[in-house]
């Protein structure tokens, strides 16, 4: 049975994905690792949804390097340190 997610849920999930990838300090994070960490935060989605979210963020201009190897993974472009304070503020506001 499919669950309809709100826009807020989608945005929250994408912020969490960015946080997970940014906390990897330049290391590539695979989609399976992202999935496990999301599940630990009670966010349930498929690997395919994570892949779509990663591609969407990259296409939207977020400084995230997405590789399309199997399994897919991502890392934050280290030249864009402005992302860290944004994620920290988003975390504080969502609590």
């Amino acid at each position: 049975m499919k669950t309809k997610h709100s826009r807020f849920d989608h945005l929250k999930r994408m912020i969490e994905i960015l946080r997970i990838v940014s906390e990897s300090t330049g290391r590539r994070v695979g989609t399976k690792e992202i999935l496990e960490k999301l599940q630990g935060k009670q966010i349930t989605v498929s690997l395919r949804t994570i892949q779509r979210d990663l591609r969407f963020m990259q296409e939207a201009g977020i400084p995230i390097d997405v590789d399309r190897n199997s399994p897919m993974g991502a890392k934050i472009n280290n030249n864009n340190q402005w992302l860290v304070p944004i994620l920290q503020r988003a975390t504080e506001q969502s609590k």
Side-chain angles (χ1 to χ4, degrees):
M1 180 176 172
K2 277 191 164 182
T3 304
K4 182 85 171 167
H5 294 283
S6 71
R7 289 182 183 174
F8 176 75
D9 290 338
H10 187 210
L11 180 59
K12 182 179 175 183
R13 181 180 71 240
M14 293 201 352
I15 289 170
E16 286 300 328
I17 290 171
L18 280 173
R19 184 182 345 279
I20 291 164
V21 175
S22 70
E23 290 173 351
S24 70
T25 59
R27 169 180 72 81
R28 177 190 175 277
V29 182
T31 50
K32 288 182 182 181
E33 181 178 347
I34 294 169
L35 177 68
E36 290 169 1
K37 290 186 178 188
L38 288 176
Q39 289 172 339
K41 295 179 179 279
Q42 309 306 315
I43 300 173
T44 305
V45 293
S46 68
L47 281 175
R48 182 72 182 109
T49 297
I50 294 169
Q51 292 168 348
R52 282 192 293 266
D53 287 348
L54 289 170
R55 279 198 284 275
F56 174 82
M57 288 185 272
Q58 185 180 43
E59 291 168 2
I62 293 173
I64 188 168
D65 295 326
V66 177
D67 70 51
R68 301 190 187 221
N69 297 330
S70 183
M72 185 179 201
K75 68 178 183 174
I76 294 292
N77 181 333
N78 289 333
N79 297 327
N80 293 288
Q81 294 301 318
W82 58 269
L83 186 59
V84 174
I86 293 170
L87 291 174
Q88 289 171 340
R89 275 193 306 252
T91 300
E92 291 166 4
Q93 292 174 356
S94 69
K95 290 182 179 178

